[in-house]
mmCIF file of all heavy atoms in Angstrom:
data_model
loop_
_atom_site.group_PDB
_atom_site.id
_atom_site.type_symbol
_atom_site.label_atom_id
_atom_site.label_comp_id
_atom_site.label_asym_id
_atom_site.label_seq_id
_atom_site.Cartn_x
_atom_site.Cartn_y
_atom_site.Cartn_z
ATOM 1 N N ARG A 172 -10.784 3.989 -15.841
ATOM 2 C CA ARG A 172 -9.715 4.949 -16.099
ATOM 3 C C ARG A 172 -9.011 4.591 -17.391
ATOM 4 O O ARG A 172 -8.650 3.452 -17.632
ATOM 5 C CB ARG A 172 -8.690 4.933 -14.958
ATOM 6 C CG ARG A 172 -7.579 5.949 -15.136
ATOM 7 C CD ARG A 172 -6.677 5.973 -13.914
ATOM 8 N NE ARG A 172 -5.980 4.721 -13.727
ATOM 9 C CZ ARG A 172 -4.868 4.380 -14.365
ATOM 10 N NH1 ARG A 172 -4.349 5.191 -15.270
ATOM 11 N NH2 ARG A 172 -4.280 3.230 -14.138
ATOM 12 N N GLN A 173 -8.830 5.584 -18.259
ATOM 13 C CA GLN A 173 -8.209 5.319 -19.553
ATOM 14 C C GLN A 173 -6.689 5.378 -19.431
ATOM 15 O O GLN A 173 -6.145 6.375 -18.974
ATOM 16 C CB GLN A 173 -8.662 6.359 -20.581
ATOM 17 C CG GLN A 173 -10.158 6.318 -20.848
ATOM 18 C CD GLN A 173 -10.538 7.303 -21.911
ATOM 19 O OE1 GLN A 173 -9.907 7.381 -22.946
ATOM 20 N NE2 GLN A 173 -11.573 8.070 -21.642
ATOM 21 N N PRO A 174 -5.989 4.317 -19.834
ATOM 22 C CA PRO A 174 -4.529 4.346 -19.762
ATOM 23 C C PRO A 174 -3.960 5.458 -20.611
ATOM 24 O O PRO A 174 -4.473 5.778 -21.671
ATOM 25 C CB PRO A 174 -4.102 2.976 -20.308
ATOM 26 C CG PRO A 174 -5.297 2.404 -20.959
ATOM 27 C CD PRO A 174 -6.500 3.070 -20.395
ATOM 28 N N GLY A 175 -2.888 6.079 -20.100
ATOM 29 C CA GLY A 175 -2.231 7.123 -20.868
ATOM 30 C C GLY A 175 -2.738 8.513 -20.555
ATOM 31 O O GLY A 175 -2.194 9.506 -21.022
ATOM 32 N N LEU A 176 -3.828 8.616 -19.740
ATOM 33 C CA LEU A 176 -4.374 9.929 -19.434
ATOM 34 C C LEU A 176 -4.044 10.371 -18.019
ATOM 35 O O LEU A 176 -4.589 11.348 -17.542
ATOM 36 C CB LEU A 176 -5.901 9.920 -19.625
ATOM 37 C CG LEU A 176 -6.375 9.707 -21.066
ATOM 38 C CD1 LEU A 176 -7.894 9.832 -21.127
ATOM 39 C CD2 LEU A 176 -5.735 10.696 -22.014
ATOM 40 N N GLY A 177 -3.184 9.645 -17.349
ATOM 41 C CA GLY A 177 -2.831 9.994 -15.982
ATOM 42 C C GLY A 177 -1.754 11.065 -15.935
ATOM 43 O O GLY A 177 -0.591 10.789 -15.701
ATOM 44 N N LEU A 178 -2.122 12.323 -16.164
ATOM 45 C CA LEU A 178 -1.149 13.411 -16.153
ATOM 46 C C LEU A 178 -0.733 13.735 -14.727
ATOM 47 O O LEU A 178 -1.549 13.695 -13.803
ATOM 48 C CB LEU A 178 -1.759 14.666 -16.790
ATOM 49 C CG LEU A 178 -2.138 14.563 -18.276
ATOM 50 C CD1 LEU A 178 -2.784 15.877 -18.712
ATOM 51 C CD2 LEU A 178 -0.925 14.278 -19.132
ATOM 52 N N ALA A 179 0.510 14.087 -14.568
ATOM 53 C CA ALA A 179 0.991 14.549 -13.272
ATOM 54 C C ALA A 179 0.344 15.885 -12.956
ATOM 55 O O ALA A 179 -0.093 16.607 -13.857
ATOM 56 C CB ALA A 179 2.510 14.695 -13.303
ATOM 57 N N PRO A 180 0.246 16.284 -11.651
ATOM 58 C CA PRO A 180 -0.383 17.554 -11.297
ATOM 59 C C PRO A 180 0.190 18.741 -12.050
ATOM 60 O O PRO A 180 -0.541 19.626 -12.497
ATOM 61 C CB PRO A 180 -0.126 17.656 -9.787
ATOM 62 C CG PRO A 180 0.003 16.237 -9.340
ATOM 63 C CD PRO A 180 0.648 15.514 -10.472
ATOM 64 N N ALA A 181 1.527 18.804 -12.221
ATOM 65 C CA ALA A 181 2.137 19.935 -12.923
ATOM 66 C C ALA A 181 1.684 19.977 -14.374
ATOM 67 O O ALA A 181 1.420 21.038 -14.938
ATOM 68 C CB ALA A 181 3.659 19.830 -12.849
ATOM 69 N N ALA A 182 1.578 18.786 -14.984
ATOM 70 C CA ALA A 182 1.149 18.728 -16.376
ATOM 71 C C ALA A 182 -0.302 19.162 -16.513
ATOM 72 O O ALA A 182 -0.672 19.857 -17.446
ATOM 73 C CB ALA A 182 1.330 17.316 -16.929
ATOM 74 N N ARG A 183 -1.149 18.731 -15.545
ATOM 75 C CA ARG A 183 -2.549 19.137 -15.599
ATOM 76 C C ARG A 183 -2.664 20.654 -15.457
ATOM 77 O O ARG A 183 -3.459 21.298 -16.126
ATOM 78 C CB ARG A 183 -3.341 18.438 -14.492
ATOM 79 C CG ARG A 183 -3.554 16.961 -14.731
ATOM 80 C CD ARG A 183 -4.656 16.427 -13.841
ATOM 81 N NE ARG A 183 -4.307 16.524 -12.422
ATOM 82 C CZ ARG A 183 -3.693 15.571 -11.742
ATOM 83 N NH1 ARG A 183 -3.344 14.450 -12.357
ATOM 84 N NH2 ARG A 183 -3.427 15.716 -10.471
ATOM 85 N N GLY A 184 -1.831 21.252 -14.564
ATOM 86 C CA GLY A 184 -1.853 22.697 -14.396
ATOM 87 C C GLY A 184 -1.427 23.425 -15.657
ATOM 88 O O GLY A 184 -1.988 24.458 -16.019
ATOM 89 N N ALA A 185 -0.416 22.870 -16.332
ATOM 90 C CA ALA A 185 0.057 23.496 -17.563
ATOM 91 C C ALA A 185 -1.022 23.474 -18.638
ATOM 92 O O ALA A 185 -1.215 24.431 -19.385
ATOM 93 C CB ALA A 185 1.303 22.777 -18.070
ATOM 94 N N VAL A 186 -1.758 22.355 -18.701
ATOM 95 C CA VAL A 186 -2.840 22.260 -19.684
ATOM 96 C C VAL A 186 -3.925 23.276 -19.382
ATOM 97 O O VAL A 186 -4.404 23.981 -20.265
ATOM 98 C CB VAL A 186 -3.418 20.828 -19.699
ATOM 99 C CG1 VAL A 186 -4.694 20.783 -20.532
ATOM 100 C CG2 VAL A 186 -2.390 19.855 -20.249
ATOM 101 N N ARG A 187 -4.306 23.378 -18.086
ATOM 102 C CA ARG A 187 -5.332 24.358 -17.719
ATOM 103 C C ARG A 187 -4.868 25.770 -18.010
ATOM 104 O O ARG A 187 -5.628 26.614 -18.491
ATOM 105 C CB ARG A 187 -5.680 24.209 -16.232
ATOM 106 C CG ARG A 187 -6.536 22.989 -15.923
ATOM 107 C CD ARG A 187 -7.149 23.108 -14.535
ATOM 108 N NE ARG A 187 -6.103 23.112 -13.509
ATOM 109 C CZ ARG A 187 -5.677 22.019 -12.901
ATOM 110 N NH1 ARG A 187 -6.182 20.852 -13.209
ATOM 111 N NH2 ARG A 187 -4.738 22.101 -11.972
ATOM 112 N N GLY A 188 -3.567 26.058 -17.720
ATOM 113 C CA GLY A 188 -3.034 27.403 -17.968
ATOM 114 C C GLY A 188 -3.048 27.748 -19.445
ATOM 115 O O GLY A 188 -3.369 28.867 -19.839
ATOM 116 N N ALA A 189 -2.692 26.772 -20.270
ATOM 117 C CA ALA A 189 -2.678 27.012 -21.711
ATOM 118 C C ALA A 189 -4.077 27.304 -22.225
ATOM 119 O O ALA A 189 -4.291 28.166 -23.063
ATOM 120 C CB ALA A 189 -2.085 25.807 -22.432
ATOM 121 N N ARG A 190 -5.072 26.589 -21.676
ATOM 122 C CA ARG A 190 -6.446 26.827 -22.101
ATOM 123 C C ARG A 190 -6.920 28.212 -21.674
ATOM 124 O O ARG A 190 -7.626 28.895 -22.415
ATOM 125 C CB ARG A 190 -7.365 25.752 -21.517
ATOM 126 C CG ARG A 190 -7.181 24.397 -22.182
ATOM 127 C CD ARG A 190 -8.009 23.358 -21.496
ATOM 128 N NE ARG A 190 -7.896 22.070 -22.159
ATOM 129 C CZ ARG A 190 -8.310 20.922 -21.641
ATOM 130 N NH1 ARG A 190 -8.854 20.903 -20.434
ATOM 131 N NH2 ARG A 190 -8.176 19.795 -22.317
ATOM 132 N N ALA A 191 -6.530 28.638 -20.438
ATOM 133 C CA ALA A 191 -6.942 29.945 -19.959
ATOM 134 C C ALA A 191 -6.279 31.056 -20.751
ATOM 135 O O ALA A 191 -6.874 32.100 -21.025
ATOM 136 C CB ALA A 191 -6.606 30.085 -18.470
ATOM 137 N N ALA A 192 -5.017 30.853 -21.124
ATOM 138 C CA ALA A 192 -4.283 31.901 -21.842
ATOM 139 C C ALA A 192 -4.756 32.044 -23.275
ATOM 140 O O ALA A 192 -4.681 33.128 -23.855
ATOM 141 C CB ALA A 192 -2.781 31.577 -21.823
ATOM 142 N N ALA A 193 -5.236 30.997 -23.857
ATOM 143 C CA ALA A 193 -5.640 31.049 -25.262
ATOM 144 C C ALA A 193 -7.026 30.440 -25.429
ATOM 145 O O ALA A 193 -7.178 29.308 -25.858
ATOM 146 C CB ALA A 193 -4.619 30.297 -26.134
ATOM 147 N N PRO A 194 -8.086 31.222 -25.005
ATOM 148 C CA PRO A 194 -9.440 30.684 -25.123
ATOM 149 C C PRO A 194 -9.804 30.472 -26.581
ATOM 150 O O PRO A 194 -9.310 31.165 -27.464
ATOM 151 C CB PRO A 194 -10.302 31.779 -24.480
ATOM 152 C CG PRO A 194 -9.490 33.026 -24.613
ATOM 153 C CD PRO A 194 -8.063 32.599 -24.510
ATOM 154 N N PRO A 195 -10.651 29.508 -26.843
ATOM 155 C CA PRO A 195 -11.024 29.254 -28.232
ATOM 156 C C PRO A 195 -11.782 30.432 -28.836
ATOM 157 O O PRO A 195 -12.539 31.118 -28.151
ATOM 158 C CB PRO A 195 -11.926 28.017 -28.116
ATOM 159 C CG PRO A 195 -12.405 28.001 -26.711
ATOM 160 C CD PRO A 195 -11.308 28.618 -25.900
ATOM 161 N N THR A 196 -11.549 30.700 -30.080
ATOM 162 C CA THR A 196 -12.228 31.795 -30.784
ATOM 163 C C THR A 196 -13.125 31.221 -31.861
ATOM 164 O O THR A 196 -12.864 30.149 -32.402
ATOM 165 C CB THR A 196 -11.207 32.740 -31.441
ATOM 166 O OG1 THR A 196 -10.401 31.983 -32.345
ATOM 167 C CG2 THR A 196 -10.309 33.386 -30.393
ATOM 168 N N ARG A 197 -14.202 31.966 -32.151
ATOM 169 C CA ARG A 197 -15.131 31.544 -33.192
ATOM 170 C C ARG A 197 -15.125 32.576 -34.316
ATOM 171 O O ARG A 197 -15.255 33.770 -34.070
ATOM 172 C CB ARG A 197 -16.542 31.400 -32.617
ATOM 173 C CG ARG A 197 -16.661 30.337 -31.536
ATOM 174 C CD ARG A 197 -18.070 30.217 -31.039
ATOM 175 N NE ARG A 197 -18.957 29.764 -32.103
ATOM 176 C CZ ARG A 197 -20.281 29.673 -31.974
ATOM 177 N NH1 ARG A 197 -20.853 30.025 -30.839
ATOM 178 N NH2 ARG A 197 -21.014 29.259 -32.984
ATOM 179 N N ARG A 198 -14.987 32.116 -35.504
ATOM 180 C CA ARG A 198 -14.969 33.011 -36.660
ATOM 181 C C ARG A 198 -16.408 33.412 -36.996
ATOM 182 O O ARG A 198 -17.279 32.566 -37.162
ATOM 183 C CB ARG A 198 -14.342 32.285 -37.852
ATOM 184 C CG ARG A 198 -14.204 33.165 -39.085
ATOM 185 C CD ARG A 198 -13.521 32.382 -40.185
ATOM 186 N NE ARG A 198 -13.375 33.176 -41.386
ATOM 187 C CZ ARG A 198 -12.821 32.738 -42.501
ATOM 188 N NH1 ARG A 198 -12.365 31.482 -42.548
ATOM 189 N NH2 ARG A 198 -12.728 33.510 -43.557
ATOM 190 N N PRO A 199 -16.676 34.744 -37.071
ATOM 191 C CA PRO A 199 -18.040 35.172 -37.380
ATOM 192 C C PRO A 199 -18.469 34.735 -38.781
ATOM 193 O O PRO A 199 -17.665 34.692 -39.704
ATOM 194 C CB PRO A 199 -17.956 36.710 -37.283
ATOM 195 C CG PRO A 199 -16.522 37.026 -37.480
ATOM 196 C CD PRO A 199 -15.756 35.876 -36.906
ATOM 197 N N ARG A 200 -19.740 34.392 -38.880
ATOM 198 C CA ARG A 200 -20.293 33.982 -40.162
ATOM 199 C C ARG A 200 -21.522 34.846 -40.476
ATOM 200 O O ARG A 200 -22.660 34.447 -40.251
ATOM 201 C CB ARG A 200 -20.674 32.493 -40.134
ATOM 202 C CG ARG A 200 -19.503 31.575 -39.863
ATOM 203 C CD ARG A 200 -19.959 30.146 -39.724
ATOM 204 N NE ARG A 200 -20.583 29.675 -40.951
ATOM 205 C CZ ARG A 200 -21.242 28.529 -41.044
ATOM 206 N NH1 ARG A 200 -21.377 27.752 -39.983
ATOM 207 N NH2 ARG A 200 -21.780 28.161 -42.191
#
Side-chain angles (χ1 to χ4, degrees):
R172 182 175 64 82
Q173 297 183 47
L176 294 185
L178 296 177
R183 288 196 296 269
V186 170
R187 285 195 296 268
R190 288 175 177 167
T196 58
R197 297 182 64 186
R198 183 177 180 180
R200 299 175 62 190

